[in-house]
Amino acid sequence: MRSYILINGLSEQSLPVTDRGLAYGHGLFETVAVNLSVPIAWQDHLERLTEGAKRLAIPLPVNIQQLLEQDLIALLGLQQNVPQRQVLKITITRGCGGRGYAVDEAVPINRIVQLNPFPEYPDQPSQKGVAVTQCQTRLALSPQLAGMKHLNRLEQVLARAEWNDARIREGVVLDGEGFLVEGTMSNLFWSQGGNLYTPRLDRCGVKGIVRQKIISIAEQNGIVVHEGLYTPDSLADADEVFVCNSIIAIWPVTRLNCDLRQYPQWGVGPITRMLQSRLSAEGIY
Amino acid sequence: MRSYILINGLSEQSLPVTDRGLAYGHGLFETVAVNLSVPIAWQDHLERLTEGAKRLAIPLPVNIQQLLEQDLIALLGLQQNVPQRQVLKITITRGCGGRGYAVDEAVPINRIVQLNPFPEYPDQPSQKGVAVTQCQTRLALSPQLAGMKHLNRLEQVLARAEWNDARIREGVVLDGEGFLVEGTMSNLFWSQGGNLYTPRLDRCGVKGIVRQKIISIAEQNGIVVHEGLYTPDSLADADEVFVCNSIIAIWPVTRLNCDLRQYPQWGVGPITRMLQSRLSAEGIY
């Protein structure tokens, strides 16, 4: 299966090397599940993109939503058979610039929209759970960049490079002070005594769309959600652990830094199942 | 004046949007002064590039030096009249990849080489000195990324966006704990009592080629150089202050956060002049 790409609405595969996304990572991205041609949690993705753009001084056109929807429709129109599920990747950069960090206000942004195959997970990680590792790579404390899905992702690249055992599906990363933050490509939750816990993301990390949905669903169901600074020890007493993002939805975590022949540390429990079910009803599965 | 660009040795202007430099900032760059067709401090730039590539798991070809020199010769060959001074920008990325942080080892790197006009500074900042500001943006502590000239430069972008008074030529940035680090595009030095001081760069910041040359020259001339953690207060008692990089060489700093109508805080002193003179003899001016 191939990828379908539009750059600023035109069928292009490549971007000038002067783009500030390449030069400095001056840009943002969104990874959106598309289900039966419908982008899932679309308003949430647009809101995060808009907020990030404000923080990075990237002037989005007022009709950005319309432009992105036109892009998606155009890309779907190029497909002979539209797959049931696809991944929409949106990248917005501060456009092309000369040498130097200062922005030329007159230069327009670049808008890159790709439609990619939905990843297949034949081993059913959503049902059976996954093994994860704890990475050595630390996330630097950077309140000014925290929460955004920006293009400076070297920490994630380094963390992901720490393991190559295909049976390990995610790595948990800590911040520079040793507190839990998230997975390399996901957010992290655990439950204990009927409450749900997830790390604060105002110092580093990416505020996931599904993370926010999970918090909402939990609270609607009377589950207290704590966002805080937690050390990895906190997981020792957890009843259930899971990671989440827009594409995988929820993967229960059954093992952390654990011999894969050993009995799992955690099962797949009722809170995880309830959240999966509720997300699934919103097209996130 | 236009830019001349080669991508992997071919005359191209653009890079596939799947490049990991764009997607994650998974790459490095070098900015090299070219003087009469000769790249200045060439071995130093190659060494930093090679060291950074190891740290970011970017497999450079064994003949990378030869490839880059061939690129430079080819770019110079495209020019009708070769300017006396130009800027060579080298960008190496981990190549093109699919969605996800994991690297496909089989994918080759991308090598982007640009020859740009040398910036002109008609107001003679090297002679007269410059005014600088202290930025609010902080550099996150990240020993794993410290020192490298990698493509994750959002902090520099945000710091540079803090001022738009063209008379202010650089911004000094602090780390997350409030210690001096560097300028947005330069390294920072000051002298006091005949000694030279510059911030440590093992927690964040870019280890500049000219910074290292200055340390060597100073030590050869019997000047003690201290690398440490210093607060901005340290500058209050400085005799001379300057910033440096491969293109500007040394700009004396005469004012920091100072009303531009006021008398300068610092003059341009003998250590600065000696270092400028010595660098100039090596083609760095």
Side-chain angles (χ1 to χ4, degrees):
Chain A
M1 285 199 282
R2 49 171 283 219
S3 291
Y4 296 82
I5 306 175
L6 292 178
I7 301 181
N8 299 322
L10 303 174
S11 183
E12 308 266 4
Q13 304 287 315
S14 63
L15 200 64
V17 295
T18 55
D19 183 81
R20 290 173 63 90
L22 173 65
Y24 308 130
H26 193 184
L28 298 154
F29 68 113
E30 291 289 333
T31 305
V32 186
V34 176
N35 212 333
L36 297 169
S37 300
V38 175
I40 303 300
W42 185 227
Q43 291 305 324
D44 300 301
H45 285 286
L46 288 169
E47 275 169 30
R48 182 171 63 179
L49 184 65
T50 305
E51 193 211 328
K54 272 192 201 128
R55 293 172 65 186
L56 296 186
I58 296 173
L60 294 180
V62 289
N63 61 339
I64 184 68
Q65 175 171 355
Q66 189 189 349
L67 291 169
L68 291 171
E69 289 171 359
Q70 284 171 357
D71 289 341
L72 174 58
I73 290 165
L75 289 171
L76 291 166
L78 294 173
Q79 299 181 318
Q80 297 258 330
N81 295 299
V82 176
Q84 186 188 332
R85 302 166 80 195
Q86 301 190 75
V87 176
L88 179 71
K89 180 172 178 181
I90 298 165
T91 308
I92 303 285
T93 78
R94 187 55 195 85
C96 298
R99 214 179 58 78
Y101 295 115
V103 169
D104 181 347
E105 303 286 346
V107 169
I109 67 165
N110 281 322
R111 179 176 96 251
I112 303 139
V113 179
Q114 299 167 256
L115 205 46
N116 293 321
F118 204 90
E120 295 193 32
Y121 302 106
D123 56 338
Q124 298 182 283
S126 300
Q127 297 310 310
K128 298 182 179 167
V130 296
V132 306
T133 187
Q134 184 178 312
C135 297
Q136 298 296 315
T137 300
R138 298 295 186 92
L139 303 184
L141 299 186
S142 178
Q144 210 174 351
L145 296 177
M148 281 188 279
K149 208 164 163 75
H150 56 65
L151 296 176
N152 278 198
R153 301 253 75 92
L154 268 177
E155 293 173 329
Q156 283 68 36
V157 167
L158 292 174
R160 181 60 189 83
E162 289 186 35
W163 80 94
N164 55 22
D165 182 337
R167 296 169 302 175
I168 295 173
R169 304 303 280 271
E170 178 59 303
V172 170
V173 280
L174 313 183
D175 68 26
E177 294 180 345
F179 294 104
L180 288 165
V181 184
E182 59 192 3
T184 64
M185 60 158 191
S186 64
N187 290 120
L188 176 70
F189 283 87
W190 62 96
S191 73
Q192 192 190 337
N195 293 338
L196 208 51
Y197 296 83
T198 193
R200 273 168 58 178
L201 297 179
D202 56 345
R203 315 193 318 157
C204 55
V206 177
K207 279 199 177 156
I209 300 300
V210 172
R211 174 183 182 273
Q212 197 51 50
K213 283 215 172 286
I214 286 169
I215 292 172
S216 299
I217 293 169
E219 290 176 344
Q220 286 160 21
N221 284 268
I223 298 170
V224 177
V225 183
H226 298 277
E227 293 183 65
L229 291 178
Y230 305 106
T231 60
D233 295 343
S234 314
L235 295 172
D237 298 322
D239 301 319
E240 307 174 33
V241 182
F242 62 86
V243 292
C244 63
N245 76 27
S246 291
I247 305 305
I248 67 172
I250 286 178
W251 281 353
V253 173
T254 53
R255 289 179 172 90
L256 173 65
N257 290 337
C258 174
D259 186 325
L260 298 180
R261 292 163 302 189
Q262 283 185 343
Y263 198 76
Q265 290 157 281
W266 301 286
V268 184
I271 292 179
T272 304
R273 288 291 180 229
M274 181 277 287
L275 292 166
Q276 284 182 320
S277 163
R278 290 291 307 272
L279 288 174
S280 179
E282 298 190 34
I284 301 167
Y285 61 95
Chain B
M1 284 199 283
R2 49 171 283 220
S3 291
Y4 296 81
I5 306 175
L6 292 178
I7 301 182
N8 300 323
L10 302 174
S11 183
E12 307 267 4
Q13 305 287 315
S14 62
L15 200 64
V17 295
T18 54
D19 182 81
R20 291 174 62 91
L22 173 66
Y24 309 129
H26 192 184
L28 297 155
F29 69 114
E30 291 289 332
T31 305
V32 185
V34 176
N35 212 333
L36 297 170
S37 301
V38 176
I40 303 300
W42 185 227
Q43 291 304 324
D44 301 303
H45 285 286
L46 288 169
E47 275 169 31
R48 182 172 62 181
L49 184 65
T50 304
E51 193 211 327
K54 272 191 201 128
R55 292 172 66 187
L56 296 185
I58 296 174
L60 294 180
V62 289
N63 61 337
I64 184 69
Q65 175 170 355
Q66 188 188 349
L67 291 169
L68 292 171
E69 289 170 1
Q70 284 171 357
D71 289 341
L72 174 58
I73 290 165
L75 289 171
L76 290 166
L78 294 173
Q79 298 181 320
Q80 297 257 329
N81 296 299
V82 177
Q84 186 187 334
R85 300 166 82 195
Q86 302 190 75
V87 176
L88 179 69
K89 180 172 178 181
I90 298 165
T91 308
I92 303 284
T93 78
R94 187 54 196 87
C96 298
R99 213 178 58 78
Y101 294 114
V103 169
D104 181 347
E105 303 286 347
V107 170
I109 67 166
N110 281 321
R111 178 177 96 251
I112 303 140
V113 178
Q114 299 167 257
L115 204 47
N116 294 321
F118 204 89
E120 296 194 31
Y121 304 106
D123 56 338
Q124 297 181 284
S126 300
Q127 298 309 309
K128 298 182 179 168
V130 297
V132 306
T133 187
Q134 184 179 311
C135 297
Q136 299 296 314
T137 300
R138 298 294 186 93
L139 302 185
L141 299 186
S142 178
Q144 209 174 353
L145 296 176
M148 281 188 279
K149 207 163 164 74
H150 56 63
L151 297 176
N152 278 199
R153 302 251 74 91
L154 267 177
E155 292 173 329
Q156 283 68 34
V157 168
L158 292 173
R160 181 59 191 83
E162 289 186 35
W163 80 95
N164 54 22
D165 182 338
R167 295 170 301 174
I168 294 173
R169 305 302 281 271
E170 179 56 306
V172 169
V173 281
L174 313 184
D175 68 27
E177 293 179 345
F179 294 104
L180 289 165
V181 184
E182 59 190 3
T184 64
M185 60 160 191
S186 63
N187 290 120
L188 175 69
F189 283 85
W190 63 97
S191 73
Q192 192 190 337
N195 294 337
L196 207 52
Y197 296 83
T198 193
R200 271 169 60 177
L201 298 178
D202 55 345
R203 314 194 318 157
C204 55
V206 176
K207 279 198 177 155
I209 300 299
V210 173
R211 174 183 182 273
Q212 197 52 50
K213 282 213 173 289
I214 286 169
I215 292 172
S216 299
I217 294 169
E219 291 177 342
Q220 285 160 21
N221 284 269
I223 298 171
V224 177
V225 183
H226 298 276
E227 293 183 64
L229 291 178
Y230 305 105
T231 60
D233 295 344
S234 313
L235 295 172
D237 299 322
D239 301 319
E240 309 175 33
V241 182
F242 62 86
V243 292
C244 63
N245 75 28
S246 292
I247 306 305
I248 66 173
I250 286 178
W251 281 353
V253 173
T254 53
R255 289 178 172 91
L256 173 64
N257 290 336
C258 173
D259 187 327
L260 298 180
R261 294 163 302 187
Q262 283 186 344
Y263 198 75
Q265 290 158 279
W266 300 286
V268 183
I271 292 179
T272 305
R273 288 293 180 227
M274 181 276 288
L275 291 167
Q276 284 182 320
S277 164
R278 290 291 306 272
L279 288 174
S280 180
E282 299 191 32
I284 302 168
Y285 60 97

